[in-house]
Amino acid sequence: MVDKKLSGQTALVTGANSGIGEGVAISLGEAGANVVVNYVSKPETAQAVVDKIKSFGSKAIALQADVSNEEQVISMFKQAIKEFGTIDILVNNAGLQKDAKFDEMTLSQWNIVMNVNLTGQFLCAREAIKEFMKRGPVPERSQALGKIICMSSVHELIPWAGHVNYASSKGAIRMFMQSLAQEYGDRKIRVNSICPGAIQTPINTDAWATPEALNSLMSLIPYNRIGQPSDIGKLAVFLASDDSDYITGASIFIDGGMTVFEGFATGG
Ligand code: NAD
């Protein structure tokens, strides 16, 4: 029997119809939260996530919005608040890669990654924080006024040749998250990042789709397995709940040990 520790709270998860966002939305729903399943395309996959969450007895709706579009983000928050009364938890998960050798990278490849991975988190966090402050504290639901979880990456720490736009966006998320935690700590808004290593999702199919690729990936992971969206979902429930009430401004790495730098195990 899963502990319904998020019962009565509402979570909005961006990019929740695939991979990590889907895993997080399902875990939050299983823990009793109402969930807004944001998607930008493929409504049928968003509906499948909604149906799964409803099967736990929690409420869920799918809302379409491009997180890099200000009007669409504002309208999504309005609809979500109309439906559930407020938002207690934001999971800024939507993200993408547009990989290229740096000297061949187009401005469009740079801009789309920044617009979704960084500006998208700004637009959603701003609307969430406005709502937390407008609503005020509800101590019987949570000790915090609100919780924001930023989906960062091990690449906020590990440089990544061939992916300079992506690594730059995640490096920026570290300062975004910590500066927000500093600015709103006294309002009891907690802001933290999840930094996944290699998680088996469509964003990185090339890294796990063949036995050779998976084998090569294992040379980077001391714990010797690829991560699953449910691994991230469990951490998101913890960070969204009062169990983590004294954690804010933290980047939590969940990577099977990728950031202990396996390459140095035999001397470096
Ligand atoms: P994914 O491709 O399965 O999911 C990305 C989601 O973001 C999709 O639902 C997609 O539709 C959505 N999205 C993209 N652009 C959007 C936009 N403009 N508006 C709204 N939604 C949009 O990939 P994933 O692995 O689940 O990635 C989720 C997050 O986790 C990303 O921020 C990614 O950088 C991060 N991450 C993933 C890994 C990994 O190994 N999979 C590792 C570290 C960090």
Side-chain angles (χ1 to χ4, degrees):
M1 172 81 183
V2 175
D3 187 354
K4 302 276 180 195
K5 59 178 64 169
L6 300 179
S7 185
Q9 300 195 51
T10 297
L12 188 153
V13 184
T14 64
N17 61 336
S18 175
I20 290 175
E22 174 177 352
V24 166
I26 288 170
S27 294
L28 296 175
E30 198 172 11
N34 309 318
V35 185
V36 179
V37 174
N38 160 255
Y39 68 99
V40 68
S41 61
K42 302 192 191 149
E44 65 292 348
T45 56
Q47 190 53 47
V49 178
V50 165
D51 293 343
K52 175 88 182 168
I53 292 168
K54 285 183 171 169
S55 76
F56 304 128
S58 296
K59 293 181 188 149
I61 53 165
L63 291 181
Q64 184 175 27
D66 172 348
V67 295
S68 66
N69 180 305
E70 185 172 27
E71 264 176 43
Q72 291 182 28
V73 168
I74 290 171
S75 152
M76 169 172 71
F77 273 81
K78 272 198 188 130
Q79 288 177 70
I81 292 161
K82 192 167 167 218
E83 179 74 22
F84 292 121
T86 190
I87 301 278
D88 304 281
I89 300 154
L90 166 66
V91 184
N92 256 336
N93 166 77
L96 45 71
Q97 290 178 215
K98 293 288 171 197
D99 307 331
K101 280 184 68 190
F102 184 70
D103 55 294
E104 291 168 6
M105 189 175 285
T106 63
L107 180 59
S108 150
Q109 286 171 319
W110 174 268
N111 281 341
I112 186 171
V113 169
M114 289 300 162
N115 290 344
V116 175
N117 295 11
L118 183 57
T119 306
Q121 294 216 17
F122 154 65
L123 291 171
C124 293
R126 192 185 58 181
E127 293 316 299
I129 287 173
K130 282 197 271 191
E131 171 56 22
F132 299 159
M133 296 197 300
K134 188 169 158 210
R135 182 227 317 127
V138 188
E140 59 277 20
R141 221 158 51 214
S142 176
Q143 293 174 58
L145 188 68
K147 283 94 38 161
I148 296 178
I149 299 170
C150 302
M151 203 55 69
S152 183
S153 165
V154 288
H155 295 296
E156 75 165 47
L157 176 72
I158 305 177
W160 206 15
H163 312 257
V164 171
N165 47 0
Y166 183 83
S168 302
S169 74
K170 296 301 185 181
I173 286 299
R174 183 181 178 94
M175 275 300 128
F176 172 78
M177 175 279 290
Q178 290 191 308
S179 302
L180 277 185
Q182 196 183 60
E183 189 162 339
Y184 292 98
D186 63 348
R187 303 299 300 262
K188 300 210 82 181
I189 296 173
R190 294 195 294 111
V191 191
N192 293 291
S193 285
I194 292 178
C195 303
I199 311 299
Q200 192 165 18
T201 76
I203 210 173
N204 56 5
T205 311
D206 290 353
W208 52 261
T210 65
E212 297 74 33
L214 194 58
N215 199 33
S216 151
L217 181 64
M218 287 311 114
S219 69
L220 299 175
I221 306 174
Y223 203 59
N224 227 24
R225 76 164 169 87
I226 191 164
Q228 296 302 323
S230 58
D231 291 313
I232 310 298
K234 287 174 214 164
L235 177 55
V237 169
F238 171 68
L239 285 176
S241 78
D242 280 357
D243 289 348
S244 60
D245 190 57
Y246 205 48
I247 301 181
T248 193
S251 284
I252 302 192
F253 288 80
I254 172 162
D255 62 1
M258 190 179 265
T259 40
V260 300
F261 300 103
E262 179 81 337
F264 284 83
T266 50

